[in-house]
Amino acid sequence: MSGQLYLVATPIGNLEDITYRAVRILREADLIACEDTRQTSKLLHHYDIQKPTISYHEHNETERTEELVSRLLAGTTIALVTDAGTPLVSDPGYRLVRAAIECGVPVYALPGPSAALTALAASGLPTDSFHFGGFLPVKPGQRAKVLEALAEEHATLIFYEAPHRILEALEAVESALGPRNVVVARELTKLHEEYLRGTAAEIREQLAARDSIKGEMTLLIGKATAPLPDDTPLEEAVQSLITGGVARMDAIKQVARRRGLSKRVVYDQLLHDR
């Protein structure tokens, strides 16, 4: 008879943010698979849980999955945790869950902490519809493409970001999406938790003025708003921005964003009008 795989959500900061059931499952599991065994040991020590652990992270996920599935099929009950929050949400685990399901191993997910949902709830931005995009791409060009593709999305956008890239990310948001309402949630549930609210440019200015930028970041961007009516011919609108010193392609992007059009539509129309 096979074992069972439990996906156990763990605190994102404050160690009190864990369910009774999660603690029980960690105590009853035969083995705990951790993103970082050293990080998880702090949680296990806090709740006096003494169980064997094994590393399971992005660098060994492929080979470790085969080993863990073999143990599950042999009857081992395994609890999968990440360093913080809900497993598989921008963290390893998908391969293991997929493989376990294909082998007929029961998989159970325990609800619990999530930085994305925690930040959304207290952000003050619309919560009826949201798009979670994980981490933004590191390369500027790819990051810009992701944001531009979401320019017309009528949902609050949520991303995770590293502190050393947050200034670049905010600059990209301002360039691609304009002066929308933005929230940066930092160090959620921890001692220095804070929410920075304003436009991307305003928040970037606040963070840039600090001696250093530290802590886990969740970046939230308000919904796209309905574009204001504008009967100015496209070529004239683009040329006006160029005259003001804006590069042609940037001018096309700005006009497209203001009118709720894609950059390609504006570009093709300009070529057609020539």
Side-chain angles (χ1 to χ4, degrees), residues 8 15 38 55 58-59 80 95 110 122 130 132 138 155 161 164 176 178 185 196 213 216 246 261 266 268-269 274:
V8 183
L15 293 182
R38 294 166 300 179
S55 65
E58 62 179 334
H59 301 298
L80 174 68
R95 288 184 177 87
L110 278 61
F130 63 90
F132 175 66
V138 175
E161 191 52 275
H164 64 278
L196 301 173
I213 303 173
E216 300 296 327
V246 179
L261 302 172
V266 174
D268 290 346
Q269 186 61 49
R274 287 188 171 183

Side-chain angles (χ1 to χ4, degrees), residues 56-269:
Y56 184 85
H57 48 69
E58 62 179 334
H59 301 298
N60 72 359
E61 188 174 5
T62 300
E63 57 268 29
R64 191 71 90 190
T65 291
E66 184 176 347
E67 175 186 347
L68 293 178
V69 169
S70 294
R71 298 180 74 158
L72 286 165
L73 291 174
T76 301
T77 292
I78 298 175
L80 174 68
V81 301
T82 59
D83 287 348
T86 300
L88 279 76
V89 180
S90 288
D91 277 317
Y94 168 76
R95 288 184 177 87
L96 178 57
V97 170
R98 186 71 257 167
I101 292 172
E102 290 175 351
C103 291
V105 174
V107 178
Y108 305 99
L110 278 61
S114 165
L117 295 182
T118 300
L120 176 64
S123 67
L125 297 176
T127 59
D128 58 313
S129 178
F130 63 90
H131 171 97
F132 175 66
F135 283 89
L136 282 168
V138 175
K139 295 183 178 180
Q142 294 177 356
R143 184 166 52 218
K145 287 182 179 180
V146 167
L147 292 171
E148 288 170 4
L150 295 169
E152 298 175 32
E153 187 79 22
H154 290 283
T156 296
L157 308 179
I158 308 174
F159 299 98
Y160 291 152
E161 191 52 275
H164 64 278
R165 289 197 302 268
I166 189 63
L167 295 183
E168 295 177 7
L170 288 167
E171 185 174 7
V173 169
E174 181 70 20
S175 176
L177 305 178
R180 296 192 191 183
N181 291 324
V182 171
V183 176
V184 170
R186 191 182 73 85
E187 290 288 82
L188 290 174
T189 79
K190 300 178 184 178
L191 180 62
H192 300 293
E193 172 183 284
E194 70 172 332
Y195 286 83
L196 301 173
R197 297 178 174 88
T199 64
E202 291 169 344
I203 296 174
R204 187 181 188 282
E205 184 178 359
Q206 291 182 56
L207 290 173
R210 299 183 178 184
D211 294 333
S212 62
I213 303 173
K214 300 178 180 179
E216 300 296 327
M217 304 273 184
T218 302
L219 171 64
L220 304 98
I221 306 163
K223 291 183 179 183
T225 55
L228 296 174
D230 188 347
D231 296 329
T232 306
L234 287 177
E235 181 63 46
E236 184 178 335
V238 171
Q239 188 57 49
S240 176
L241 290 172
I242 294 174
T243 302
V246 179
R248 180 172 177 78
M249 288 309 298
D250 287 337
I252 290 174
K253 289 180 186 178
Q254 289 187 35
V255 170
R257 186 169 63 242
R258 292 172 183 173
R259 301 191 181 198
L261 302 172
S262 72
K263 180 179 64 176
R264 171 56 58 184
V265 168
V266 174
Y267 184 75
D268 290 346
Q269 186 61 49

